[in-house]
Amino acid sequence: MLTPDGVELAVQVHGPDDGKPPILFVHEFGGDHRSWAPQVAHFAARRRCVTYDARGYPPSAVPTDPAAYSQDHAVADAVAVLDGLGIDRAVVVGNSMGGFATLHLGLRHPDRCVALVVAGCGYGAHPDHTEAFRADALALADAYEREGSAAVAADYGNRPSRRPLRDRDPAAHDEHLRVLAEHDPVGAALTMRGVQASRPSLYALRDELATLAVPILLVVGDTDRDALDANLMLAATLPDAGLAVLPRTGHLTNLELPDVFNRLVEDLLA
C-alpha cells in the first residue's frame, strides 16, 4: 500500500467482507501488526479486520528522512490504508501511539470513522509531564542508534507500565519483547523523535476534542498512571465517549486482558 508521500506500507487483511464496517487496528510504538493477534483471532471469524505496520516498521518501508515521521503522517497513513482497500468508513482501534493516531484520525476525518476505540492513550500528555516525556523519548531515540533494538527492548519492554503483562502472561510478554527487539533501529529512533516526542498535547486540543461527534470507547489500565489522568480528561471532554478502566492492568490492555478487551469492543459494535 503506497502513501501519498510514496512510503510503502505492509497491510494485512483478515476475515470475510460481510458488508459490515471493517475494523482497522493501529499498533503502538512497542509493537507491530502482530500486537493485535488476540483481536484478529476473535473478530476475523465474522468481520473484515485490517492491520498494518506503521512506516519505520518492517516489512513497511523505513524512510531515512526525519521529516517523513510525524503525527500528521501517522494519520495520513491510516487514511491511505482505508483508501487503498476501498473502505469508506471503519471502526478504528488503536493502542498508545496507535491510540493517538486513532484520536487524531477522528479529529481530522470523522467521516471515515464509524466509531473509535482509543486504548492506552495519553502518556506524556499532561502539561506537568510533557517535558519529561519528550526528554525520555529523545533519549530512547539516541539509545536505538547507539545500542540497537535488542538492548532497548530489554529496558523499554520491562518498564513499570509493561510489567503487568509479564506478571499475568509471561509467554505473551516474551513475545512482546521479541517484537520489540526486532524493531528497525533507524525507524524506531525516527518515530520516537518525529511522532512521539513531537506530537501535540491532548490538553492543548480540548476545544477540538469537545466537537468530536464520533462514538468513542476509551480503555486504560488502572496502573498506567499517566494515561489514566489523560483518559479522565478525555472522558470529561469528548461528547460521546465511554471510559473503561481495567483493574490491575498496565499499558497493554489488549494483550493483558484480551477477552475483556474484545468484549468491550463487541459491546461498542453492538
Side-chain angles (χ1 to χ4, degrees), residues 31-167:
D32 61 19
H33 75 274
R34 293 170 288 182
S35 302
W36 295 110
Q39 284 66 54
V40 170
H42 178 79
F43 288 102
R46 57 196 181 283
R47 187 183 286 259
R48 194 179 186 196
C49 294
V50 180
T51 58
Y52 68 99
D53 297 285
R55 62 176 64 201
Y57 289 74
S60 289
V62 182
T64 56
D65 181 0
Y69 296 82
S70 69
Q71 186 69 77
D72 287 343
H73 280 302
V75 172
D77 288 353
V79 174
V81 172
L82 295 177
D83 288 345
L85 294 173
I87 298 171
D88 292 329
R89 301 174 72 230
V91 177
V92 187
V93 181
N95 186 56
S96 192
M97 181 178 80
F100 277 94
T102 297
L103 198 55
H104 280 268
L105 177 63
L107 285 172
R108 307 297 170 229
H109 304 279
D111 57 311
R112 307 301 298 271
C113 306
V114 175
L116 308 176
V117 179
V118 178
C121 179
Y123 181 62
H126 194 284
D128 291 346
H129 306 151
T130 298
E131 289 309 312
F133 167 76
R134 287 179 176 161
D136 182 54
L138 295 175
L140 277 167
D142 292 343
Y144 269 107
E145 293 176 334
R146 184 177 61 252
E147 302 170 17
S149 297
V152 174
D155 166 44
Y156 190 76
N158 285 291
R159 289 189 169 191
S161 64
R162 294 170 189 268
R163 289 178 195 159
L165 177 61
R166 182 187 65 189
D167 297 339

Side-chain angles (χ1 to χ4, degrees), residues 28-31 95-97 100 119-124 133 136 140 152-169 172-173 176-177 180 192 196 199 219-229 231 246-257:
E28 61 134 349
F29 173 83
N95 186 56
S96 192
M97 181 178 80
F100 277 94
C121 179
Y123 181 62
F133 167 76
D136 182 54
L140 277 167
V152 174
D155 166 44
Y156 190 76
N158 285 291
R159 289 189 169 191
S161 64
R162 294 170 189 268
R163 289 178 195 159
L165 177 61
R166 182 187 65 189
D167 297 339
R168 179 172 274 119
D169 190 340
H173 184 256
H176 174 59
L177 291 181
L180 257 173
M192 267 293 170
Q196 300 283 80
R199 66 194 178 204
V219 183
V220 66
D222 66 349
T223 68
D224 197 5
R225 299 300 183 188
D226 287 339
L228 183 58
D229 290 342
N231 274 264
L246 305 190
R248 304 180 68 83
T249 305
H251 196 56
L252 306 173
T253 53
N254 71 298
L255 297 176
E256 293 170 43
L257 292 173

